[in-house]
Amino acid sequence: MSFPRSSRLWWRDAVTYQIYIRSFADGNGDGKGDIQGIRSRLKYLKNLGIDAIWITPWYPSPQKDHGYDVADYLDIEPDYGTLSEAELMINEAHQLGIKVIIDIVPNHSSDQHKWFIQAVNSDPGSKARDRYIFRDGRGNYGEIPPNNWHSVFGGSAWQRIIEKDGRPGQWYLHLFAVEQPDFNWDNQEVHEYFEKVLRFWLDRGVDGFRIDVAHGMVKAPGLPDIEENLSSEMLAARRLPFWDQDGVHEIYRNWRRILNSYPGDRMAVAEAWVSPASRIALYLRPDELANSFNFDFLTSIWDIQDLKRNIDLSLQAIQSVGAPASWVFNNHDVVRSVDRFALGLRPGVGETTFDRHGDVSKLNLEIGIRRARSGALLMLALPGGAYIYQGEELALPEVRDIPEDRLEDPRWFLSEKTDKGRDGCRVPLPWSANESGSFGFSINEKLGKENSWLPQPNWWGNYSAENQEHDPNSTLNLYRKALEIRKTEIGLGDGELEWFNMSDQVLAFKRPGNFACIVNFGEAFKIPNGEVLIASTSIEDGILPEDGALWMRLA
Ligand code: GLC
């Protein structure tokens, strides 16, 4: 795909910044992020040099899974603002040349969605129940769940309801929290509803959607049991009857027709935890979504073979359908890469807190930060688009010592408090070094670091945007400079990549224009002749230290 950038669709090259709205910036002083907060930081994002923002669910929600339990898809959570404020924000972002992607959650709603309330209050077999997945239980009294599926967060994936007559009755499916009932995508009304939801937001100017659990909506006919001892993790080792069923593709072909009926190259990106890469390619077909997070990349450890293999597999897979790659190292569901790269953790893999979060006593943040900075240069030089999760540009580590009585992730509760879950990567951002407030997160100066929705650690201010602003070597300035180079360097973004061999501990590739990206996983070594454009670390006498990376123009 080597046509010039100006003639490429914007999303083939875009660098998108993920805003976890609850933790980004608090503009009304209640300790939770909001739309006002986003508006106040648009200039920062513009300065950072990103092309688009993706905002996690901002709909009215009981917040059992922080917005991923949607009670009304056509409005804004009152704690976050109003619909007119959202429209204002979309316009302001557009004026700054920033595209806006919102999250859509079609696999499940909140149990407070009006349809689910109706379903519970209606009879078995009714039209209202058919919008969700209700079944009779097994056993003499229907006391055994309809099948053996587990929830991703822990425990059974079924919850029994009390019928109108006061007796225990049918069960409903919830692949996630109990308060997140799965929709029945065999029901035409569900299809029509989501088509309406898409149009509602497209009419308000959004440029695209991030589709939550995009591989989950369709379940295998008959809801067959899974083999005992298989877990329901999102990135399953095997195809399970609730992940990656072929029927999902028909839904996306319809959605593509809707996106295409609007001007301005509206896009969608799938959260499809699907492996191998060849299965992802199906979601990327031109008449479907065209974009999907590259979770093989995200689940790589800091290891040259692992990363290279995953990059190769991804590039091969997307080539077959002509889609751009979407690289990602971080999001609101996984341990931050600073910690992962230091500890050799694979996110999303592992059954317990220990597997997922690793051994704190072995954590060397200096190494983690060094690798995360190199990872940034690697990711931003690869062909295609990339996603940055808020705070990644500050090299924020995971917060590992949130007091247990402050944890809010449903994974913590559903795992019976054996898995601390994902709150450690969701702590409200440190904007300033001001320890007496909430490090600039809230406009309410009196709020204090303990009183945001998740408490901030004492050391949070060291990583603040303010502290990094004037330090030319800060991670924030590394991202800014890399993104600036990326804008003008003709070989970056979508296009070709050519590996070249330096040593088995050096990952090196060329992009058009004599551009090279070099990442060193082994001992310090002498770089080739040419001009260094940017480096993750200081280069003396042409020596690139271990865990360092750079971009250069080869002589
Ligand atoms: C997605 C979201 C995650 C959420 C889950 C259920 O994986 O990224 O945060 O808990 O879906 O909606």
Side-chain angles (χ1 to χ4, degrees):
M1 220 66 45
S2 44
F3 33 88
R5 182 172 309 196
S6 57
S7 68
R8 295 199 286 255
L9 297 172
W10 66 271
W11 43 261
R12 296 193 73 94
D13 302 295
V15 175
T16 302
Y17 185 93
Q18 179 190 350
I19 294 181
Y20 190 74
I21 184 166
R22 204 174 177 78
S23 303
F24 184 66
D26 172 16
N28 67 3
D30 67 356
K32 291 166 250 169
D34 47 40
I35 296 177
Q36 181 58 37
I38 300 177
R39 291 178 59 206
S40 72
R41 299 290 178 183
L42 284 174
K43 289 243 165 62
Y44 168 87
L45 296 170
K46 177 73 189 166
N47 262 335
L48 179 59
I50 49 92
D51 305 296
I53 51 179
W54 145 34
I55 304 172
T56 55
W58 57 2
Y59 315 100
S61 159
Q63 306 289 336
K64 296 291 178 192
D65 188 16
H66 296 319
Y68 286 96
D69 48 326
V70 180
D72 180 357
Y73 291 79
L74 306 176
D75 206 346
I76 293 288
E77 161 65 40
D79 279 351
Y80 295 162
T82 61
L83 196 53
S84 47
E85 246 180 308
E87 289 175 13
L88 203 60
M89 193 231 82
I90 295 169
N91 284 334
E92 286 170 350
H94 284 165
Q95 271 158 26
L96 292 171
I98 298 173
K99 306 271 189 192
V100 179
I101 297 171
I102 61 168
D103 222 306
I104 186 161
V105 190
N107 180 68
H108 46 265
S109 69
S110 157
D111 62 354
Q112 298 307 306
H113 191 282
K114 64 174 190 243
W115 272 7
F116 191 74
I117 295 173
Q118 270 172 24
V120 172
N121 293 324
S122 304
D123 292 326
S126 59
K127 209 172 143 226
R129 271 211 188 163
D130 192 54
R131 296 176 183 134
Y132 291 89
I133 303 179
F134 280 87
R135 293 287 184 278
D136 294 330
R138 293 175 295 178
N140 288 342
Y141 308 98
E143 74 283 12
I144 305 171
N147 72 19
N148 70 353
W149 297 359
H150 323 284
S151 142
V152 172
F153 294 150
S156 168
W158 295 93
Q159 177 71 18
R160 196 169 193 190
I161 62 161
I162 302 295
E163 301 287 355
K164 280 185 297 191
D165 62 8
R167 284 191 235 179
Q170 285 198 304
W171 300 71
Y172 69 85
L173 179 71
H174 61 89
L175 287 180
F176 293 88
V178 179
E179 299 87 353
Q180 291 171 300
D182 281 51
F183 280 114
N184 171 19
W185 277 87
D186 287 333
N187 181 315
Q188 193 51 32
E189 247 189 296
V190 173
H191 288 252
E192 284 159 17
Y193 179 58
F194 274 94
E195 289 170 11
K196 183 170 119 189
V197 171
L198 292 181
R199 288 184 203 280
F200 179 88
W201 292 104
L202 289 166
D203 287 338
R204 278 161 186 76
V206 305
D207 301 282
F209 299 93
R210 176 263 188 191
I211 303 169
D212 189 63
V213 197
H215 61 319
M217 284 118 90
V218 174
K219 278 74 181 176
L223 313 181
D225 276 345
I226 57 173
E227 278 168 56
E228 287 303 332
N229 74 37
L230 276 187
S231 92
S232 304
E233 286 295 335
M234 295 271 269
L235 193 63
R238 232 166 306 167
R239 242 164 105 209
L240 296 172
F242 38 86
W243 296 145
D244 196 26
Q245 298 295 306
D246 290 331
V248 293
H249 297 291
E250 192 49 44
I251 301 172
Y252 298 135
R253 281 191 280 272
N254 274 331
W255 289 14
R256 169 52 56 194
R257 282 191 281 272
I258 294 174
L259 294 170
N260 286 354
S261 71
Y262 282 79
D265 306 321
R266 313 290 173 109
M267 59 81 81
V269 55
E271 188 217 15
W273 291 83
V274 172
S275 196
S278 55
R279 291 287 310 174
I280 296 202
L282 301 175
Y283 294 76
L284 298 174
R285 288 176 286 194
D287 61 344
E288 292 195 26
L289 298 177
N291 293 279
S292 176
F293 297 109
N294 191 328
F295 287 127
D296 281 329
F297 188 65
L298 176 131
T299 51
S300 304
I301 54 174
W302 190 254
D303 171 89
I304 184 168
Q305 303 303 341
D306 200 42
L307 280 162
K308 182 159 188 296
R309 185 178 50 247
N310 282 329
I311 294 169
D312 273 334
L313 284 174
S314 310
L315 291 176
Q316 269 165 28
I318 58 171
Q319 235 164 35
S320 63
V321 283
S326 304
W327 309 102
V328 58
F329 269 142
N330 287 283
N331 64 31
H332 64 292
D333 291 328
V334 299
V335 171
R336 285 196 180 265
S337 61
V338 167
D339 287 48
R340 283 183 359 243
F341 290 164
L343 289 167
L345 299 175
R346 277 187 204 284
V349 179
E351 295 296 303
T352 66
T353 284
F354 183 80
D355 300 336
R356 248 181 245 287
H357 295 250
D359 182 352
V360 191
S361 70
K362 302 215 167 74
L363 181 64
N364 181 331
L365 282 182
E366 226 173 277
I367 295 182
I369 291 172
R370 217 156 55 208
R371 293 179 177 170
R373 289 167 62 98
S374 292
L377 293 187
L378 166 65
M379 176 171 91
L380 295 173
L382 288 169
Y387 287 79
I388 299 171
Y389 173 50
Q390 64 182 40
E392 184 175 340
E393 81 280 19
L394 306 174
L396 286 185
E398 186 83 359
V399 179
R400 293 165 165 274
D401 52 2
I402 301 173
E404 293 191 350
D405 62 354
R406 296 292 301 272
L407 293 175
E408 295 204 3
D409 186 353
R411 197 184 261 285
W412 168 241
F413 300 104
L414 285 175
S415 69
E416 290 167 354
K417 305 195 174 175
T418 57
D419 187 334
K420 283 200 174 170
R422 304 163 294 178
D423 288 328
C425 68
R426 299 173 174 180
V427 173
L429 286 192
W431 291 97
S432 78
N434 178 9
E435 227 189 294
S436 60
S438 54
F439 299 107
F441 166 65
S442 177
I443 53 149
N444 177 359
E445 300 253 309
K446 295 204 196 81
L447 191 71
K449 52 185 181 293
E450 300 293 323
N451 301 321
S452 306
W453 74 276
L454 283 175
Q456 300 163 306
N458 293 333
W459 44 270
W460 213 217
N462 300 340
Y463 290 86
S464 65
E466 179 186 63
N467 266 12
Q468 299 198 28
E469 177 73 43
H470 302 293
D471 171 3
N473 297 321
S474 68
T475 305
L476 176 59
N477 281 317
L478 180 80
Y479 270 86
R480 282 187 181 148
K481 187 165 173 208
L483 290 170
E484 193 181 309
I485 297 175
R486 200 182 139 100
K487 285 209 163 74
T488 49
E489 191 63 35
I490 57 152
L492 291 184
D494 202 14
E496 313 294 333
L497 163 152
E498 186 193 333
W499 296 110
F500 68 101
N501 219 350
M502 305 205 53
S503 94
D504 56 5
Q505 286 306 306
V506 176
L507 190 75
F509 56 89
K510 289 186 207 165
R511 306 290 319 266
N514 265 348
F515 177 98
C517 173
I518 301 177
V519 189
N520 183 12
F521 292 81
E523 282 169 22
F525 81 103
K526 180 110 181 96
I527 58 172
N529 289 337
E531 174 205 356
V532 174
L533 304 173
I534 184 172
S536 68
T537 175
S538 62
I539 309 285
E540 276 160 39
D541 305 323
I543 301 293
L544 181 63
E546 180 173 358
D547 290 332
L550 55 75
W551 292 355
M552 64 183 300
R553 177 127 21 249
L554 295 170

